[in-house]
Amino acid sequence: MLRIACPHCGLRDEVEFRYRGDASVRRPGEEAEAQAYCDYVYERANPAGWHLEWWQHVHGCRQVLKVLRDTVSHEIQTVVAGQSFPAGATDGSRRETLPGHDEIALPERSA
């Protein structure tokens, strides 16, 4: 079981959270082609190693968090508080207001 250190509530079990998706993808701009939106919604990498993810603390403070997690060992290195989803949004469409992938340093993987 994962243990996520919520910045608001402290260390909590994974069962209190819901995975909300990949936090490293960017929503296409308004002028983007239909294929760009299709790729944004359906095409996802399945990386082995460090991955930036959205998690929501649904059985606690209800805040959306950005979590840096190793998909192989499930080690969590960083948890950053985010902003709530806008009313009616289910995809984290306010991603651009939160720390970017380049603002959280990815650790080196040991051999």
Side-chain angles (χ1 to χ4, degrees):
M1 173 179 294
L2 296 176
R3 303 272 290 160
I4 300 174
C6 176
H8 307 285
C9 305
L11 193 60
R12 298 288 194 260
D13 289 338
E14 172 186 7
V15 296
E16 291 189 20
F17 297 85
R18 291 292 178 269
Y19 176 76
R20 298 302 299 244
D22 184 350
S24 65
V25 296
R26 291 276 184 198
R27 186 179 194 155
E30 292 178 21
E31 65 286 337
E33 301 278 331
Q35 185 60 45
Y37 280 98
C38 184
D39 292 346
Y40 169 73
V41 173
Y42 296 109
E43 298 295 322
R44 292 285 189 256
N46 189 13
W50 293 101
H51 188 57
L52 203 52
E53 305 170 328
W54 291 111
W55 286 79
Q56 185 176 15
H57 195 179
V58 294
H59 296 292
C61 62
R62 306 205 44 83
Q63 296 298 306
V64 177
L65 309 173
K66 208 172 211 184
V67 176
L68 181 61
R69 180 177 70 91
D70 187 322
T71 60
V72 176
S73 68
H74 298 294
E75 173 189 353
I76 294 175
Q77 184 192 44
T78 305
V79 179
V80 179
Q83 296 181 12
S84 298
F85 287 114
T90 59
D91 69 343
S93 58
R94 292 185 60 187
R95 292 182 177 149
E96 48 277 357
T97 64
L98 299 175
H101 206 45
D102 56 342
E103 295 176 41
I104 297 177
L106 296 173
E108 295 293 323
R109 178 169 281 294
S110 57

